[in-house]
């Protein structure tokens, strides 16, 4: 699923207009807007500033943005405007009363820094007067933020149908009928995906359910303000029962659909799992070499020590008459002469590494199988993305 630049622009403008933002400039490729306080709180992430404004009662200064929906078209328009301006502007050297681009009759404005330090460069424009420029395309961070703010702010609404002018002058008040409207998103997912929106409405007076509730609302003028000379009826159906009735109605509708796509997805899943099992079968069936335990290694070491011959007296070896055998030192010297069996240690390390590799391969197999099931297994997911109370005549 994706959105074209035109669709992104339509969505963003709808959001900005719903929050009473001031549109300063607009073209097919961009829009320049001054945010309303509500939009500024949702999009600029300035909680400390708005906390200060709410505590002190200071006038709020909201930020301004230029949202670019088609970067290529916008850049071409900027370059064309700059070229047109350059052609229309006269040469400063051939202009009467102008020297180096400064009119002779008008002295340059003096600044405090310029008075003490001479000519100072112009400072960048900061603060509320600065207009930030951002590209808002499908997948951009700012568009995701607007999606989130719209979901959070519009998750639940309470709207009233506006009465006609003659009703305002009528002697008897008109009566509103309360309706609960819920927009459900249904996802049919396997290795492919399809989404549907079902906007259902139920009357809290009679329990009547309307499937295309949005069509009923599009023909009416709705406002969050209760109109004059209007009366709201008391609901006979609780919100809990109304929500359960809408869920049951949608479930019955989903049971009537054709689920041949799910059977085909299950067949593809079985085929992929067979290929995966065949690939890992040879690896997982390999014989793992046995590793000797620490106890066996220790007992082998003891046998080596026990089979050693006692140390030969130093007198007999060197034929020194006054020499005496030194028991501990001779024992250590004899132990140093015993060769280390490196071949046994190498085989044990190889066996241990083989066990580690086998466990890693088994974990990899289980992970791949879980991912394959998650990707191909058919499933239906229903989510309530927005809801509201609608008081209609």
């Amino acid at each position: 699923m994706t959105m074209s630049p035109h669709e992104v622009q339509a969505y963003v403008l709808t959001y900005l207009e719903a929050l009473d933002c001031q549109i300063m400039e607009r073209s097919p490729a961009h829009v320049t807007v001054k945010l309303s306080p509500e939009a500024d709180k949702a999009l600029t992430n300035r909680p400390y500033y708005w906390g200060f404004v709410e505590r002190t009662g200071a006038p709020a200064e909201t930020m301004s943005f230029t949202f670019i929906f088609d970067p290529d078209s916008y850049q071409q328009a900027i370059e064309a405007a700059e070229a047109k301006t350059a052609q229309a502007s006269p040469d400063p050297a051939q202009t009467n009363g102008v020297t180096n681009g400064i009119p002779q009759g008008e002295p340059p404005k003096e600044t405090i820094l310029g008075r003490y330090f001479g000519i100072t460069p112009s400072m960048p424009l900061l603060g509320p007067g600065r207009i930030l420029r951002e590209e808002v395309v499908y997948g951009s961070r700012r568009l995701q933020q607007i999606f989130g703010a719209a979901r959070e702010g519009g998750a639940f609404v309470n709207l009233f149908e506006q009465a006609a002018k003659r009703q305002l002058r009528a002697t008897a008040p008109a009566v509103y009928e309360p309706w609960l409207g819920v927009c459900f998103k249904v996802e049919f997912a396997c290795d492919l995906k399809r989404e549907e929106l079902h906007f259902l409405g139920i009357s809290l007076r009679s329990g009547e359910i309307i499937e295309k509730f949005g069509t009923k609302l599009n023909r009416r003028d709705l406002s969050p303000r209760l109109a004059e000379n209007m009366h709201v009826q008391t609901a006979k159906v609780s919100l809990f029962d109304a929500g359960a009735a809408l869920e049951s109605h949608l479930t019955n509708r989903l049971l009537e659909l054709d689920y041949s796509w799910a059977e085909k997805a299950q067949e593809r899943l079985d085929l992929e799992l067979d290929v995966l099992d065949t690939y890992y079968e040879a690896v997982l069936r390999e014989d793992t070499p046995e590793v000797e335990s620490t106890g066996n290694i220790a007992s082998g070491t003891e046998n080596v020590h026990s089979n050693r011959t006692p140390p030969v007296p130093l007198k007999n070896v060197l034929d020194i008459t006054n020499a005496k055998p030194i028991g501990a030192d001779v024992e250590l010297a004899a132990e140093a002469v015993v060769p280390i069996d490196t071949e046994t240690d190498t085989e044990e390390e190889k066996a241990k590494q083989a066990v580690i590799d086998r466990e890693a391969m088994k974990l990899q197999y289980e992970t791949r199988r879980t991912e394959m099931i998650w990707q191909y297994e058919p499933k239906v997911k229903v989510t309530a993305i927005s809801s509201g109370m609608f008081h209609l005549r």
Side-chain angles (χ1 to χ4, degrees):
M1 181 179 178
T2 184
M3 296 176 67
S4 64
H6 177 72
E7 293 173 337
V8 172
Q9 183 180 22
Y11 183 89
V12 173
L13 288 177
T14 302
Y15 174 78
L16 296 176
E17 291 172 357
L19 296 185
D20 296 328
C21 298
Q22 180 184 354
I23 307 296
M24 298 186 291
E25 186 178 85
R26 179 178 174 182
S27 75
H30 83 289
V31 62
T32 301
V33 59
K34 183 174 179 59
L35 300 179
S36 64
E38 184 178 357
D40 193 286
K41 293 178 183 179
L43 300 180
T44 60
N45 192 21
R46 300 192 296 167
Y48 295 108
Y49 172 75
W50 285 107
F52 166 78
V53 170
E54 293 172 358
R55 288 194 307 269
T56 61
E61 290 289 346
T62 60
M63 299 184 67
S64 300
F65 286 89
T66 294
F67 294 133
I68 303 171
F69 307 107
D70 192 344
D72 296 335
S73 301
Y74 181 77
Q75 186 62 29
Q76 293 175 3
I78 291 295
E79 293 175 356
E82 291 177 352
K84 186 177 180 180
T85 304
Q87 293 176 359
S89 61
D91 188 358
Q94 299 176 358
T95 305
N96 259 342
V98 177
T99 304
N100 295 330
I102 301 176
Q104 291 181 354
E106 182 181 352
K109 295 182 180 180
E110 183 182 16
T111 62
I112 296 178
L113 293 178
R115 182 184 306 172
Y116 293 97
F117 300 101
I119 300 175
T120 57
S122 59
M123 299 297 293
L125 184 61
L126 301 175
R130 182 179 55 164
I131 299 179
L132 301 178
R133 181 180 299 180
E134 287 191 13
E135 294 183 2
V136 182
V137 296
Y138 186 74
S140 64
R141 221 171 137 191
R142 179 63 70 180
L143 185 60
Q144 296 298 325
Q145 186 186 30
I146 293 176
F147 284 158
R151 283 195 299 266
E152 183 178 356
F156 187 85
V157 295
N158 189 21
L159 300 177
F160 300 88
E161 181 181 358
Q162 295 302 293
K165 292 183 179 179
R166 62 177 181 272
Q167 175 60 36
L168 301 178
R169 298 188 297 268
T171 56
V175 177
Y176 279 127
E177 181 181 8
W179 288 76
L180 172 64
V182 182
C183 183
F184 294 97
K185 181 176 72 172
V186 182
E187 299 180 12
F188 303 94
C190 53
D191 54 326
L192 305 175
K193 189 175 182 180
R194 182 167 63 92
E195 296 180 348
E196 293 180 355
L197 294 179
H198 295 265
F199 195 6
L200 306 180
I202 180 172
S203 172
L204 299 185
R205 294 283 297 178
S206 62
E208 176 189 2
I209 296 179
I210 298 179
E211 289 194 355
K212 297 182 179 179
F213 191 59
T215 305
K216 183 180 181 68
L217 299 178
N218 289 337
R219 300 192 298 264
R220 302 170 185 266
D221 183 18
L222 302 175
S223 172
R225 185 179 64 87
L226 177 63
E228 299 178 0
N229 203 18
M230 301 294 291
H231 172 67
V232 179
Q233 289 182 317
T234 304
K236 293 183 178 180
V237 181
S238 66
L239 291 178
F240 180 82
D241 294 338
L246 291 179
E247 292 179 3
S248 177
H249 180 84
L250 182 59
T251 302
N252 294 333
R253 284 289 178 265
L254 294 178
L255 292 176
E256 299 173 358
L257 299 179
D258 180 18
Y259 287 95
S260 59
W261 63 270
E263 298 175 358
K264 296 178 181 178
Q266 187 64 43
E267 293 176 359
R268 293 195 297 272
L269 173 61
D270 295 338
L271 179 60
E272 293 293 335
L273 291 179
D274 290 341
V275 174
L276 187 68
D277 294 342
T278 304
Y279 176 79
Y280 282 96
E281 183 178 6
V283 179
L284 294 177
R285 286 186 177 180
E286 288 182 355
D287 294 333
T288 305
E290 297 182 357
V291 183
E292 295 183 358
S293 62
T294 308
N296 295 337
I297 298 175
S299 62
T301 306
E302 293 176 358
N303 292 334
V304 171
H305 284 287
S306 61
N307 294 333
R308 292 176 184 171
T309 57
V312 182
L314 190 61
K315 174 182 178 182
N316 300 336
V317 176
L318 299 180
D319 197 16
I320 300 176
T321 56
N322 297 327
K324 295 181 180 180
I326 304 175
D329 294 340
V330 173
E331 180 71 19
L332 292 175
E335 289 182 359
V337 179
V338 177
I340 301 175
D341 194 355
T342 57
E343 184 177 355
T344 304
D345 295 342
T346 304
E347 291 182 358
E348 291 178 357
E349 291 177 359
K350 289 182 179 180
K352 292 179 181 179
Q353 187 63 37
V355 173
I356 295 175
D357 294 342
R358 180 183 176 85
E359 292 299 326
M361 189 64 65
K362 185 177 180 180
L363 179 61
Q364 182 183 17
Y365 166 68
E366 295 175 353
T367 303
R368 290 285 301 276
R369 188 178 178 86
T370 302
E371 292 175 352
M372 199 74 68
I373 294 175
W374 174 85
Q375 180 181 3
Y376 284 88
E377 188 177 28
K379 45 190 169 291
V380 179
K381 182 180 179 181
V382 180
T383 308
I385 58 176
S386 62
S387 59
M389 286 293 302
F390 302 91
H391 304 274
L392 308 179
R393 297 179 57 191

